[in-house]
Amino acid sequence: MARLFLGIRGNRQIVRVAGMNKEQHLMANKKIFASAAAVQNHAGGKAFGKSDEQALVQYVMTGTFNDTFYVTGESQLTEVLARASQVPDEFLAKLAIYGREKGMMKDMPALLCALLVARGSGHSEAVFKRVIDNARMLRNFVQMLRSGVVGRKSLGSRAKRLVKGFIASLNDYALWEASVGNAPSLVDVMKLAHPKAKDERRNALYAYVMGKPVDAALLPDFIREYEAFLAGKSKAAPLRAPFQKLTALPLGTEDWMRIATNARWTMTRINLNTFARHGVLRNPQMISMIAERLADREQIIQARAFPYQLMTAMLNIGDEVPGEIRAALEKAMQVALENVPAFDDDSLVLAIDVSGSMGNPVTGRQTAATSKVTCLDAAALIGAALRAKNPSAKILAFEYGCREVVVPHDCKVMTIAQKIKAYHGGGTNCGSVIQYLLDHGIKTNNLILVSDNESWADGYRSDLSTLWAKYKRDCAPEARMINLDITPNPYSVNAKRADTLMVGGFSDDVFAVMKAFLAGNTDQVDAVKAVEI
């Protein structure tokens, strides 16, 4: 019988069955939502259910509503809505802010913001101001509300007021720049919110963005220059125009060099292939200028660049991008990794999951524009960054079994990552890490394990949780484990213990959480609760 998910009411989900709305208890399957008992993970292996707060943090810091190796986007949505119905608005508010500001995530924070607005929460306006910080996030927010998944399909008076306020806060150029993008477009959003200004020129800009007839004399200079070039009335290519609009114009190499010269750091990083395709990178002066910009520490920090973004750039650039620019991205990576902690521990062990499921795109599979960066890429980068800051650390790669990855003392981050990735393949056996430590008599004070946590190739007698208890008892009573999970799921490979940190995400904030844990047994839920609204 066909069922259609309609939304959440309290702790029930509303479904349409044979044309009628019925309510079902979301918590019917207690096995899924257990916080201590052993359960089965998506791969069929032994796992431990997370609490509602722990699971929500994991989903927000890793989820994108795209299909992963084991989990569909739809199931992520259902799980998040179910868990969100069990926690206070204050926690959701703090988590939305944490996910956006610390995790730099988009979809999940926008969903939580929309959910709070739909609930009429007193925290919704404060969350909106911090989470909906650009046009892409605004479109996400409106899409979430209009989809009906949070219990409504209209914006409502509060959401309209928030959207109007956001649009009014944009300067003229930022508003024009925000008009790029679809599903929904800014035009769709403006049709829903009906923003109006007291200023005649601003209203003219609103009309222009929405494609309505307008007196050109009232428009900003940069739009008139763009329209003049578009109409063939000017030969000078506009320098101030959204990049996506420039790519559609009949521009020559000289035009592109002028655009590249005036580009911001992020725009430069994202469009290296575009510059190469248009001949910009055949000019030695342009190569040096772009390389200098990309390696500029102040600009890197101002752009809030983090390692995952730089790895994406490195994996995506084509052969036409010269070595000088590739080297500049390497330098930028070093700056972005400055907050990776150096542990006062010569026995540190870094265990990286290289199993087959780690080959899935880290942001999930999409119908278009699926990321080239895999879970393994992200895990290897985290391991390599930690190894670069902790040269005495031992690197282990595991799948069915476990082996050591030997790298030179002064090896660069991306080179270390490539060496880890060379072992890709096999089934997931997280317990093999502890078994390796036991078999080789390796004592560590701190073990950092990076995985998708879908361990299944171990068996109940050799699972990580059982072996960790044995290792603590027989080998290293003071040892601590940091279990970093980079995929959206409600399970952990280990039971919750004081000596074990469960942390989720693939932004550089995970390093701060690790450092805090080793300083005082705090965890990621505590980090969320520490957010000030």
Side-chain angles (χ1 to χ4, degrees):
M1 185 178 295
R3 294 177 178 226
L4 176 64
F5 175 74
L6 296 179
I8 297 291
R9 179 181 298 155
N11 69 337
R12 299 169 180 261
Q13 70 175 359
I14 315 302
V15 296
R16 180 172 291 276
V17 182
M20 298 177 62
N21 291 351
K22 293 187 177 182
E23 295 188 4
Q24 295 180 336
H25 280 288
L26 286 166
M27 301 300 287
N29 188 351
K30 294 182 180 179
K31 179 179 175 183
I32 293 177
F33 296 97
S35 60
V39 296
Q40 279 192 341
N41 60 28
H42 299 109
K46 181 181 177 180
F48 296 85
K50 295 176 180 175
S51 69
D52 293 316
E53 291 180 339
Q54 290 168 337
L56 281 168
V57 172
Q58 183 67 35
Y59 277 102
V60 169
M61 295 300 282
T62 62
T64 60
F65 298 121
N66 297 318
D67 294 352
T68 70
F69 190 87
Y70 289 104
V71 183
T72 66
E74 288 80 4
S75 65
Q76 291 178 48
L77 174 62
T78 301
E79 183 84 9
V80 169
L81 291 174
R83 301 280 188 164
S85 69
Q86 305 301 310
V87 301
D89 284 359
E90 183 180 6
F91 182 78
L92 290 183
K94 292 185 174 187
L95 180 55
I97 293 169
Y98 182 86
R100 181 61 184 148
E101 295 183 350
K102 298 295 185 181
M104 299 185 187
M105 299 300 286
K106 301 180 181 70
D107 296 339
M108 288 290 182
L111 173 67
L112 295 187
C113 183
L115 185 60
L116 289 167
V117 170
R119 286 183 179 182
S121 170
H123 297 297
S124 57
E125 294 195 26
V127 172
F128 182 93
K129 289 177 181 178
R130 291 175 65 176
V131 170
I132 310 306
D133 55 5
N134 61 39
R136 162 74 184 274
M137 291 299 293
L138 180 70
R139 296 199 304 272
N140 283 353
F141 168 77
V142 172
Q143 182 184 32
M144 301 295 181
L145 276 178
R146 294 280 292 167
S147 70
V149 299
V150 295
R152 61 193 295 177
K153 286 194 173 183
S154 63
L155 288 188
S157 58
R158 175 177 295 190
K160 282 185 179 180
R161 177 166 50 80
L162 291 171
V163 171
K164 287 179 182 179
F166 178 89
I167 292 173
S169 72
L170 297 174
N171 63 44
D172 290 351
Y173 183 79
L175 178 66
W176 188 35
E177 195 172 38
S179 67
V180 176
N182 295 300
S185 67
L186 182 66
V187 173
D188 296 328
V189 173
M190 293 175 74
K191 285 180 179 178
L192 292 170
H194 305 293
K196 291 184 179 179
K198 297 179 181 179
D199 180 77
E200 184 182 22
R201 291 182 177 275
R202 184 70 173 188
N203 280 323
L205 180 57
Y206 286 166
Y208 171 81
V209 168
M210 296 182 71
K212 297 179 179 180
V214 63
D215 181 357
L218 296 175
L219 296 175
D221 292 343
F222 50 81
I223 290 181
R224 284 181 296 173
E225 290 171 4
Y226 172 81
E227 289 292 340
F229 182 84
L230 205 62
K233 298 177 180 178
S234 171
K235 293 183 179 180
L239 287 179
R240 290 197 70 197
F243 195 85
Q244 295 89 331
K245 291 184 180 294
L246 292 174
T247 56
L249 299 180
L251 305 177
T253 300
E254 292 296 323
D255 295 319
W256 278 107
M257 285 197 291
R258 290 174 61 230
I259 292 167
T261 299
N262 289 276
R264 291 169 291 186
W265 190 93
T266 299
M267 180 178 171
T268 302
R269 172 182 63 81
I270 293 173
N271 292 288
L272 291 172
N273 287 335
T274 301
F275 294 149
R277 188 166 57 250
H278 291 285
V280 174
L281 302 184
R282 288 196 289 267
N283 183 300
Q285 286 76 30
M286 292 300 300
I287 293 172
S288 296
M289 184 271 294
I290 289 175
E292 184 177 348
R293 176 186 300 155
L294 289 173
D296 185 275
R297 186 176 186 278
E298 185 175 336
Q299 292 191 58
I300 295 166
I301 294 172
Q302 187 175 11
R304 297 179 65 197
F306 68 110
Y308 167 74
Q309 293 173 319
L310 288 159
M311 171 171 268
T312 301
M314 292 179 190
L315 293 176
N316 284 322
I317 55 177
D319 295 336
E320 294 180 351
V321 177
E324 187 176 346
I325 289 178
R326 294 172 185 270
L329 289 172
E330 284 268 13
K331 292 178 181 178
M333 177 73 81
Q334 298 300 326
V335 175
L337 290 170
E338 285 182 353
N339 66 339
V340 176
F343 300 108
D344 185 18
D345 179 12
D346 292 337
S347 70
L348 179 65
V349 174
L350 310 169
I352 311 301
D353 184 350
V354 296
S355 65
S357 61
M358 294 289 284
N360 195 71
V362 72
T363 53
R365 295 183 297 273
Q366 305 178 56
T367 54
T370 294
S371 174
K372 288 185 179 181
V373 181
T374 65
C375 292
L376 179 56
D377 287 321
L381 175 62
I382 290 168
L386 287 165
R387 172 60 170 73
K389 276 292 188 74
N390 300 271
S392 63
K394 189 183 297 295
I395 302 176
L396 303 180
F398 70 93
E399 24 88 30
Y400 285 118
C402 184
R403 65 190 63 81
E404 184 173 354
V405 181
V406 180
V407 298
H409 187 272
D410 58 350
C411 204
K412 292 184 178 181
V413 169
M414 290 302 291
T415 303
I416 298 173
Q418 291 299 328
K419 288 182 177 291
I420 295 172
K421 289 163 55 181
Y423 293 99
H424 181 219
T428 309
N429 180 1
C430 293
S432 67
V433 173
I434 312 301
Q435 191 64 59
Y436 183 91
L437 298 180
L438 288 167
D439 291 345
H440 293 79
I442 299 172
K443 292 186 178 182
T444 180
N445 294 320
N446 296 293
L447 166 65
I448 299 177
L449 187 146
V450 187
S451 174
D452 64 2
N453 266 336
E454 296 287 358
S455 188
W456 60 270
D458 43 25
Y460 274 62
R461 296 182 186 177
S462 61
D463 63 275
L464 181 140
S465 187
T466 301
L467 288 170
W468 178 244
K470 175 179 173 59
Y471 182 76
K472 291 274 294 184
R473 183 183 67 244
D474 299 343
C475 197
E478 302 301 319
R480 293 174 292 186
M481 177 175 16
I482 294 175
N483 182 253
L484 173 56
D485 193 339
I486 58 176
T487 59
N489 68 71
Y491 307 117
S492 172
V493 76
N494 202 4
K496 183 173 176 57
R497 318 166 38 121
D499 59 19
T500 303
L501 169 68
M502 293 178 286
V503 57
F506 40 81
S507 77
D508 57 349
D509 180 66
V510 297
F511 299 124
V513 176
M514 290 179 186
K515 196 170 183 179
F517 168 71
L518 295 179
N521 287 331
T522 187
D523 63 19
Q524 202 167 21
V525 171
D526 293 328
V528 171
K529 290 180 177 179
V531 171
E532 293 186 5
I533 304 176

